[in-house]
Amino acid sequence: MERPVRRRRRARAQPPLAWAIVHAAGAPEIVAAHAAHLLRASGAIARVLVATAPDADPASLATLLPAGAEVVALPGGLDRPEQADAWLAAQVTARWAILLRGGEIPSEVLLRALPALFTRNDLTHLRLDRVGTDVSPVRAWRADLPIAGFPCTPWSEPVAVGPVRVVEAALLPVDGDLPAPPARAAGAVTVRRPALHAVLAEVPLTDLPEPDRRGSVDLRLTDCHFVAGEPCRVRVLVRNGGGARWPGGGWPGVAIAVRHRWSGAAAAPPPARTPLPCALRPGEETLVLLDAVPPAAGMLRLELALVAGDSAPFAAVAHDVEVAP
Amino acid sequence: VSPPPVTALIRAHRDGWLVNATLEHVAPYVSRTLLAIDERTPPQDIALMRRSCADELLILPHVTPVERVSARLMSRFADGWVLNIAGDEWPGYALLESLPTVTTLPVTHVDVPVTWLWPDARHALVGWPWMPDQQSRLIRADASIRRSAGVLHSGRQIVGDGRLVDTPHHHLDLLVSTTEARRAKVARYTAQDERLRAFNERQYLPEDATPVAPVVPIDPRDADALATLLETRGTGTGRRSRPRRPLRPSRMTLDEADALWLAHPDPPEIALDVAVPDAGDWPADSARRVRVTVTCSGSREASWGIAPFAPVTLAPAWAQRGAGDVQPRALPSTPLPGPVLPGETAPFDILVTAPGPGSWTLEVRAVDRHGTALGAAALNVDVDR
């Protein structure tokens, strides 16, 4: 048997501690510039991506930003800035990401807390209290772990799983005149202009278009010993045969699931759905564990199919199985 | 070829020949190997394991349950992935060859099928209770996405998506342990939980199954390697002697293990405060965010957790004021959503639905896994129509 020869790995470079995403739309640009300066001065943020509205002049904003900032000129055609959340989050190559909406300023409390919070190894995300409101959205998350999702719908906020810390009085609304940040020479801050299709490609699908409703479900029959009325955990291999990324169960986007139902019995229970345990990119596959309860003894048919939201099932297969009394 | 950033962690307490052979089998596919053995491992096995190809040998305190040391053990890894292997297990070639691919997936863990080999190294049992036995064996080495509850057979609790793959991880216990040893194991497990008697008897004693337990052949590559391994007890598998000096083991102390043991009998000292941040009326049957502030004193952390093994749970309940000794109405409880270190105060939000109109007291208790109160706070609320 030929085996790979093991070579020692070189020590991997640690990613920077955190990047910030600051939306400039919805408030004067000076607010986003001020937030960027405060975040950079905190010592916790290595880079700030300032996302501008399509009608803004990115060059003029660039002159207001600190070193380590980058202007992202969002393309026209987006309904709301939140639609770019997933794309912006995907650009982050740091351990943590923090997100500010247009018109928000980080408080002193937050800025003082961030360096310590970002070095903790027992948190996956932060909820930040917005002063003057009753909401505490997820606004910072571990960007090097797959623990956050972005609905990208109007007024939506990120979602995350894992241990959380709430930071009280963290985000301040703009109140009165802001001091002008120190001006920088034009050209010192880079401007990135992502294409609309690139930004929209990261938005979770809310419906699975017909061409992407392609895939397969395959029952692992060796697992199965069916007894009437008793749950039997069976494995089903699901493959994404379409061209779109399928979201995992519980995350933003269309709910894709394995539907199973029994036929051949006098009284069959309604179909049951088991969500995907993870996202699937085109061509990828995963096993799905589903609990099937045969309604009666005898020769029954177990019907499997994939469903996406409320649309018609696809990739249907059926297996005749013997169910013991 | 640079191996993927995976540490193979093998936990064992006997059968040095098998452990060493498994290490030889796994080492070319991973970046590091750690062999963690119980301090009561027979001396001849320890001597053998010191000659293994492991990168590190760690001696663990003998504890019951063995999960008591898991949190401390996993805390040693802060980067990459960990492939967890028991001393009587052998990952299939397909699993090892898939490591460079699966460790790039956007998931926090990968669940592999554990196959129970029987009656020989070329076949695996199918059907309940041996299959499916899909277990999270490949996990990102990051403390923020996993918990080790430290309770018998509690396994690991992991947040985030998991990919379920079909590359087998073979369990050899039924082949390398005698029937008498497995009967004794069933007796031990059953003594701890009588409800699992039938399950344990069937799982560990397939020779007693009637009708005969069904089996299927395994991957021929795995079958050939395992048949040779078991026939020669590791001497015919191309095993190389350790080129360097014998491994010098390090030790984990019981105090070190218990410092992170989530099921420790001494609970954290907790004080609570509760408030409703939203101003205004609270209509009947409507949900409201309630802020619970947790202060942790003493020396033990109030740990976040995942149901059903969360070490600390926030349990709200409504008690009607002036209703005498009427039992409060319990509401759904929530595992502590984040950690609170000793000396820290941290706010958390829970969602609470108001009862019917009237004068109520909202009680929030922090309870341990057994329901014992660790701290409590209350707030008077007038619920509107």
Side-chain angles (χ1 to χ4, degrees):
Chain A
M1 182 75 54
E2 193 170 325
R3 295 176 169 196
V5 177
R6 181 161 65 146
R7 299 186 197 283
R8 289 280 159 198
R9 290 183 66 81
R10 290 182 185 164
R12 292 189 300 167
Q14 291 294 313
L17 200 53
W19 282 21
I21 299 166
V22 177
H23 279 286
E29 285 181 347
I30 189 71
V31 179
H34 192 64
H37 277 273
L38 290 172
L39 288 165
R40 283 285 290 149
S42 73
I45 306 295
R47 192 161 189 79
V48 185
L49 302 181
V50 182
T52 67
D55 56 352
D57 176 11
S60 71
L61 175 60
T63 63
L64 302 174
L65 295 179
E70 181 178 354
V71 176
V72 178
L74 294 180
L78 296 176
D79 296 336
R80 289 274 310 160
E82 294 85 5
Q83 242 180 324
D85 282 355
W87 184 88
L88 288 164
Q91 309 311 306
V92 177
T93 57
R95 181 175 157 88
W96 280 85
I98 182 170
L99 169 69
L100 269 61
R101 300 281 183 212
E104 291 175 344
I105 294 291
S107 71
E108 277 295 318
V109 173
L110 176 63
L111 294 169
R112 276 201 306 271
L114 283 182
L117 289 170
F118 285 165
T119 53
R120 287 183 70 150
N121 67 355
D122 56 359
L123 298 171
T124 59
H125 62 292
L126 306 178
R127 287 184 172 276
L128 304 186
D129 275 357
R130 291 182 65 192
V131 173
T133 72
D134 59 1
V135 296
S136 186
V138 173
R139 286 301 187 78
W141 61 91
R142 281 286 298 276
D144 60 342
L145 292 174
I147 54 82
F150 307 89
C152 297
T153 52
W155 313 106
S156 64
E157 296 288 3
V159 295
V161 294
V164 63
R165 174 59 55 97
V166 178
V167 182
E168 297 183 295
L171 299 174
L172 305 174
V174 178
D175 188 13
D177 294 333
L178 289 166
R184 292 178 50 82
V189 171
T190 58
V191 177
R192 206 183 327 178
R193 300 176 188 275
L196 179 62
H197 69 84
V199 175
L200 294 180
E202 297 289 338
V203 175
L205 295 172
T206 53
D207 184 27
L208 199 60
E210 177 62 35
D212 294 320
R213 286 184 210 151
R214 299 187 197 286
S216 61
V217 282
D218 179 21
L219 180 66
R220 292 298 199 236
L221 274 170
T222 54
D223 303 353
C224 308
H225 175 63
F226 292 112
V227 178
E230 290 187 8
C232 178
R233 177 157 290 188
V234 297
R235 295 182 301 167
V236 173
L237 188 67
V238 173
R239 183 173 182 277
N240 178 354
R245 178 183 177 274
W246 294 356
W251 291 104
V254 61
I256 296 178
V258 179
R259 191 193 73 171
H260 78 270
R261 68 180 178 189
W262 294 92
S263 61
R273 291 184 179 212
T274 307
L276 295 184
C278 59
L280 286 182
R281 293 174 290 205
E284 287 187 342
E285 60 187 22
T286 185
L287 290 169
V288 178
L289 294 177
L290 54 90
D291 289 317
V293 187
M299 213 55 193
L300 301 186
R301 174 161 285 195
L302 178 57
E303 299 174 357
L304 300 166
L306 294 171
V307 287
D310 297 324
S311 63
F314 61 99
V317 293
H319 292 271
D320 293 325
V321 298
E322 187 169 353
V323 179
Chain B
V1 176
S2 187
V6 177
T7 299
L9 167 61
I10 299 187
R11 280 187 73 171
H13 64 280
R14 60 171 204 180
D15 294 338
W17 64 272
L18 175 58
V19 171
N20 285 13
T22 304
L23 279 161
E24 291 278 350
H25 167 60
V26 170
Y29 298 91
V30 298
S31 55
R32 181 170 169 251
T33 53
L34 169 60
L35 174 56
I37 61 173
D38 188 287
E39 64 187 352
R40 293 194 188 175
T41 301
Q44 65 272 23
D45 283 310
I46 294 182
L48 203 54
M49 292 168 179
R50 290 187 64 198
R51 292 279 177 184
S52 75
C53 70
D55 293 314
E56 187 182 355
L57 177 62
L58 174 66
I59 297 182
L60 306 173
H62 178 75
V63 291
T64 302
V66 293
E67 289 84 353
R68 184 167 161 180
V69 302
S70 297
R72 172 61 75 184
L73 192 52
M74 289 300 283
S75 75
R76 299 171 66 91
F77 311 108
D79 190 20
W81 294 72
V82 179
L83 176 63
N84 287 276
I85 305 168
D88 55 3
E89 293 174 344
W90 194 89
Y93 282 109
L95 171 58
L96 295 175
E97 288 166 358
S98 72
L99 291 176
T101 306
V102 295
T103 50
T104 62
L105 294 173
V107 295
T108 57
H109 57 289
V110 176
D111 291 4
V112 302
V114 176
T115 55
W116 293 63
L117 299 194
W118 178 262
D120 54 41
R122 296 185 178 277
H123 294 86
L125 291 155
V126 293
W128 183 86
W130 304 285
M131 197 178 282
D133 185 6
Q134 204 83 19
Q135 297 187 16
S136 301
R137 292 306 188 92
L138 186 61
I139 305 169
R140 281 186 193 265
D142 194 291
S144 68
I145 52 108
R146 62 163 194 269
R147 296 274 79 182
S148 296
V151 179
L152 181 70
H153 291 167
S154 56
R156 301 166 198 85
Q157 299 84 53
I158 308 162
V159 299
D161 282 356
R163 180 72 58 93
L164 281 68
V165 298
D166 206 9
T167 47
H169 183 74
H170 302 298
H171 188 201
L172 312 182
D173 184 33
L174 304 179
L175 302 182
V176 298
S177 296
T178 63
T179 303
E180 292 69 33
R182 286 181 277 118
R183 284 194 199 287
K185 181 184 285 189
V186 169
R188 280 200 311 277
Y189 288 168
T190 303
Q192 293 172 50
D193 193 341
E194 176 63 32
R195 294 168 299 176
L196 296 176
R197 175 184 291 280
F199 177 87
N200 286 328
E201 285 179 346
R202 185 165 176 84
Q203 186 160 50
Y204 290 102
L205 299 166
E207 55 266 68
D208 292 350
T210 49
V212 174
V215 297
V216 292
I218 65 170
D219 183 319
R221 281 196 303 167
D222 294 352
D224 289 346
L226 281 167
T228 303
L229 167 62
L230 295 180
E231 191 179 332
T232 63
R233 292 178 67 85
T235 58
T237 57
R239 183 163 63 93
R240 300 186 299 271
S241 59
R242 187 176 178 79
R244 295 171 284 163
R245 287 180 300 174
L247 284 166
R248 177 176 292 180
S250 55
R251 275 187 178 273
M252 178 192 296
T253 68
L254 187 59
D255 285 346
E256 287 171 339
D258 282 355
L260 297 184
W261 184 28
L262 295 186
H264 196 286
D266 295 337
E269 295 171 32
I270 292 175
L272 296 187
D273 187 32
V274 58
V276 181
D278 311 355
D281 300 335
W282 195 343
D285 302 320
S286 65
R288 222 6 120 66
R289 184 170 64 118
V290 171
R291 177 144 294 181
V292 182
T293 303
V294 179
T295 300
C296 179
S297 51
S299 59
R300 298 194 68 80
E301 168 189 342
S303 294
W304 68 281
I306 301 170
F309 296 107
V312 180
T313 297
L314 299 177
W318 288 109
Q320 194 152 24
R321 297 207 297 276
D325 293 333
V326 176
Q327 187 76 8
R329 293 184 199 175
L331 300 167
S333 56
T334 307
L336 192 66
V340 189
L341 303 179
E344 275 191 337
T345 294
F348 299 104
D349 293 336
I350 59 174
L351 208 59
V352 172
T353 300
S359 299
W360 297 85
T361 298
L362 174 63
E363 299 175 349
V364 180
R365 296 186 310 148
V367 298
D368 69 9
R369 202 165 50 83
H370 307 291
T372 306
L374 307 174
L379 178 72
N380 288 338
V381 175
D382 291 322
V383 176
D384 309 308
R385 291 188 181 282

